[in-house]
Amino acid sequence: MWRCDRMPLQSLEETCIKPAPDFDQLRRVLLRDGRPDFIPFYELLVDIPVQERVLGKRIEHAADTVEFYYKAGYDCLPVWSRVDMPRGSLVDRSHPYPISDRKSFEEYPWPATDAVSYAEFDQVSRVLPEGMMATCNSGLSGFFECLQSLIGFEPLCFMLIDDPDLVQAVCSRLEDIFTAMYRNMASIDIVGAVVVHDDLGFKTQPLLRPDDLRKYILPVHKKLAEIGHAAGKPVILHSCGQLAPVMEEIIEEVKIDAKHSYEDSILPVTEAWKLYGERIAILGGYDVDRLCRSTEEEIRAYTGMLVTEVGAEGGYALGSGNSIASYIPIEKYLTMLDEGWRLRNR
């Protein structure tokens, strides 16, 4: 056993991490196939500025991203499809929501299902170290998120009442694109797990009525999960927000293998483990606010609790409650990784 106690940690070279990727261990976690040989790491993503500060260089190519996830001790890295599709923006009013009625729906330049680019997967495959795999992710964000970006959240809420047939028409066109994209991504050799990432809620409840999620959104998630499973790949749902009203459907009907994104003010990961840990894998859960505010000693103690208690019987991977955003202090992120790696070598 070794221990690195220097603080603040500013680079991977200062941690205890000795890269030795083994995706089979993460796969065991995702499928709840007993306790793995060690508790692996998992993140939906690490922001590019964080990767650059940790590596001390610009991220310019896929090889640079692979280098980061490898040196940081991960067994997989996220890889994304790319799709050109005009959409609106919550923050940039120069990009208005393009669909508001039947006429704008019919005039919308829907991309062909074969217009999706998978170039990043090819680039990563050329430099992927032995033992590492990729998780596949939609370049259109999530299905529900994409629906919002076409119509707008408030207009969508009105449209669900005023013109539900139009909502269904938009969903059907999106479903064609998403199912084709996921079928292609899941078939790629380097893909070890499929990620359905779609923020469905906020602090106190889902963003839509549960019945609307059941009618328009969850059936598509189920199809994406079926595509992943048909390809022999575990399926991860990343979703922020309070999902309690539809969590049973997500587990029993969508049939996810693992859930990611937990926030202490909504559902702490320790409670999620008690509620759902016998049926799905629990990923991450180190609340981002907690990580930002904690001292080195607190980070090491909380990381230890997650590894030794939540991960006691398997079905758990260590990581943040959401993602490693650019505002998280580097030394605190590295301390979490350092302690997680130290504990696997006890």
Side-chain angles (χ1 to χ4, degrees):
M1 183 180 77
W2 57 83
R3 177 73 180 262
C4 300
D5 286 321
R6 292 173 295 176
M7 278 292 288
L9 297 172
Q10 295 293 336
S11 70
L12 292 169
E13 288 73 18
E14 296 173 359
T15 70
C16 297
I17 296 171
K18 308 292 183 184
D22 183 358
F23 182 81
D24 286 344
Q25 302 305 316
L26 181 58
R27 180 180 173 86
R28 290 182 62 186
V29 165
L30 298 176
L31 297 178
R32 297 178 57 253
D33 181 22
R35 181 177 172 84
D37 296 343
F38 55 82
I39 303 299
F41 300 154
Y42 176 81
E43 292 293 346
L44 175 70
L45 59 88
V46 177
D47 277 358
I48 295 296
V50 176
Q51 296 182 38
E52 291 180 337
R53 291 202 297 274
V54 170
L55 287 182
K57 68 176 186 178
R58 294 287 301 275
I59 300 295
E60 298 180 328
H61 307 288
D64 300 323
T65 299
V66 171
E67 178 186 359
F68 167 79
Y69 282 95
Y70 171 75
K71 288 185 174 179
Y74 292 93
D75 305 289
C76 69
L77 75 154
V79 184
W80 308 77
S81 61
R82 301 295 176 206
V83 191
D84 289 328
M85 191 169 169
R87 290 175 287 165
S89 170
L90 289 171
V91 296
D92 186 353
R93 295 188 179 276
S94 67
H95 295 281
Y97 301 111
I99 297 178
S100 58
D101 52 24
R102 180 67 60 169
K103 181 175 183 292
S104 56
F105 165 72
E106 293 174 349
E107 293 177 348
Y108 183 78
W110 295 97
T113 57
D114 61 358
V116 180
S117 170
Y118 308 99
E120 187 174 324
F121 291 87
D122 182 56
Q123 295 163 7
V124 167
S125 70
R126 299 173 189 171
V127 293
L128 196 64
E130 184 177 355
M132 286 190 78
M133 298 287 280
T135 60
C136 64
N137 301 265
S138 161
L140 284 173
S141 64
F143 180 81
F144 172 57
E145 294 166 336
C146 191
L147 180 67
Q148 291 182 81
S149 69
L150 291 174
I151 300 173
F153 177 67
E154 289 186 6
L156 173 61
C157 293
F158 283 106
M159 193 181 290
L160 284 165
I161 302 300
D162 298 334
D163 196 349
D165 288 344
L166 180 54
V167 175
Q168 185 60 65
V170 178
C171 286
S172 295
R173 292 300 296 267
L174 281 178
E175 180 181 329
D176 291 343
I177 297 169
F178 270 79
T179 53
M181 175 171 56
Y182 270 81
R183 192 171 292 111
N184 288 331
M185 291 195 298
S187 70
I188 297 172
D189 289 342
I190 65 167
V191 170
V194 169
V195 180
V196 178
H197 49 96
D198 211 1
D199 290 345
L200 301 179
F202 60 105
K203 185 173 182 178
T204 59
Q205 65 188 57
L207 285 159
L208 296 183
R209 296 182 304 172
D211 283 348
D212 287 329
L213 289 175
R214 295 181 184 111
K215 180 176 181 179
Y216 298 102
I217 309 302
L218 296 187
V220 178
H221 285 188
K222 180 178 180 178
K223 290 184 178 180
L224 301 182
E226 289 172 345
I227 288 169
H229 289 148
K233 314 292 172 72
V235 176
I236 301 166
L237 172 67
H238 168 95
S239 181
C240 298
Q242 176 57 264
L243 303 185
V246 292
M247 198 62 193
E248 284 302 310
E249 289 92 337
I250 288 172
I251 295 174
E252 297 297 335
E253 296 182 20
V254 176
K255 295 188 182 303
I256 63 169
D257 297 297
K259 165 74 166 58
H260 182 254
S261 190
Y262 299 98
E263 187 175 346
D264 286 357
S265 62
I266 299 174
L267 179 66
V269 67
T270 49
E271 294 304 310
W273 168 59
K274 295 174 185 176
L275 288 171
Y276 309 122
E278 292 186 355
R279 293 188 286 167
I280 59 172
I282 305 297
L283 306 182
Y286 199 128
D287 183 85
V288 170
D289 181 67
R290 178 193 289 266
L291 182 60
C292 287
R293 295 175 184 270
S294 294
T295 65
E296 176 201 2
E297 291 76 15
E298 290 168 339
I299 293 171
R300 292 190 184 278
Y302 193 73
T303 299
M305 183 277 296
L306 292 175
V307 168
T308 59
E309 295 185 22
V310 180
E313 302 300 325
Y316 176 73
L318 176 65
S320 74
N322 185 283
S323 61
I324 302 300
S326 57
Y327 56 78
I328 296 176
I330 291 295
E331 65 273 14
K332 301 193 176 187
Y333 168 52
L334 291 177
T335 298
M336 180 185 70
L337 295 181
D338 182 61
E339 187 66 11
W341 194 274
R342 186 187 72 83
L343 290 169
R344 73 170 65 180
N345 290 283
R346 289 187 306 176

